[in-house]
Amino acid sequence: MEAALADLSAPRNSTNRPGNRTGGALDTPLSGRQRILPKLSPNPDAFGHATEGFARFMGTPQFLVYMTVFCLFWLAWNTWAPLEWQFDSRELGFTLLTLMLSLQASYAAPLLLLAQNRQDDRDRVSLQQDRQRAERNLSDTEYLTRELASLRIALREVATRDYVRAELRSLLEDMLEAQEELRTHDPSGAGSHETPKDKVKERLKERREKQRNPRTQQIPKVKPDGPGYPAHLNSPES
């Protein structure tokens, strides 16, 4: 009785549960099973290359011709050859040939699917590269467009050859007019307040202002001593 009570009062170990074959804790993963046969791990690139080569050969006219010649030879040998030399009876419907063709078809379908999967992978990679190339071309095109727009904006502020020629031509005309004005000056008007040089400068100034602001071309300027100027503003007290 005392022994039974001692067994009940003793702490239970979680590792000594019935049915626990490893004897470890719950947080310890189970060890993997040992494989009976060794794991085959062929080179996927070499195997895929060979598979694609065989799949390409199966899709050529040479394969069809060789397969047709082989089947005809098989049927002719097992039909007209002596019975001792025949290995596929005609009475059984050429069973061995049917099994060989079925075996070939069963192996050809996975090989073709494998070759198709590899081709799909290559197409996917090629499509991704084309998309990246298209994105780079688009970014380059946008960059060049912005650069061209900035250049066009910058060129608007640059003096062109025609503009410089027009300014020089206008300056030359002004100089010729000033020279002509000084040459044809009337000495009888020497008592006026303005000298010929002042008149020429005033005329050049008016012309410059007209060229800079075309809106003011229709507004005539009135001189202080000219007609139309108010008399009370012309007096010395004003």
Side-chain angles (χ1 to χ4, degrees), residues 67-80:
M67 195 66 186
T68 302
V69 172
F70 174 77
C71 292
L72 292 176
F73 177 77
W74 186 289
L75 295 175
W77 181 269
N78 291 280
T79 301
W80 291 296

Side-chain angles (χ1 to χ4, degrees), residues 46-212:
F47 185 76
H49 185 71
T51 302
E52 289 180 349
F54 183 73
R56 290 192 184 95
F57 175 70
M58 290 181 64
T60 57
Q62 290 82 0
F63 177 79
L64 296 177
V65 172
Y66 295 156
M67 195 66 186
T68 302
V69 172
F70 174 77
C71 292
L72 292 176
F73 177 77
W74 186 289
L75 295 175
W77 181 269
N78 291 280
T79 301
W80 291 296
L83 295 177
E84 294 82 5
W85 294 355
Q86 294 180 6
F87 50 88
D88 192 7
S89 177
R90 184 179 60 180
E91 287 77 8
L92 298 178
F94 303 103
T95 307
L96 185 58
L97 179 61
T98 304
L99 292 175
M100 291 181 61
L101 295 178
S102 300
L103 183 64
Q104 177 192 358
S106 62
Y107 273 96
L111 292 177
L112 294 176
L113 289 176
L114 180 59
Q116 185 177 0
N117 292 335
R118 287 176 59 85
Q119 184 64 34
D120 293 339
D121 294 339
R122 283 195 295 268
D123 294 341
R124 190 181 301 107
V125 172
S126 178
L127 182 61
Q128 185 179 2
Q129 293 178 355
D130 293 341
R131 187 182 296 109
Q132 294 176 357
R133 191 179 298 109
E135 291 177 356
R136 289 195 299 269
N137 292 336
L138 180 60
S139 61
D140 294 342
T141 304
E142 292 177 353
Y143 173 75
L144 293 176
T145 303
R146 291 192 297 269
E147 290 295 324
L148 288 176
S150 62
L151 287 176
R152 292 180 63 182
I153 294 174
L155 286 175
R156 293 177 181 176
E157 301 177 358
V158 178
T160 59
R161 181 177 58 184
D162 297 336
Y163 177 79
V164 173
R165 287 181 176 179
E167 290 294 326
L168 292 177
R169 188 180 298 108
S170 177
L171 182 60
L172 180 60
E173 292 177 358
D174 294 342
M175 293 175 63
L176 293 176
E177 289 181 1
Q179 185 178 4
E180 186 68 22
E181 182 69 20
L182 292 175
R183 185 182 302 171
T184 59
H185 175 61
D186 189 7
S188 61
S192 60
H193 299 286
E194 293 183 355
T195 61
K197 293 184 178 180
D198 295 336
K199 292 182 180 180
V200 171
K201 290 180 180 179
E202 185 68 21
R203 185 176 299 178
L204 293 177
K205 185 177 180 181
E206 292 179 358
R207 186 169 182 178
R208 287 294 180 184
E209 290 179 355
K210 289 180 181 181
Q211 290 180 355
R212 292 177 182 176

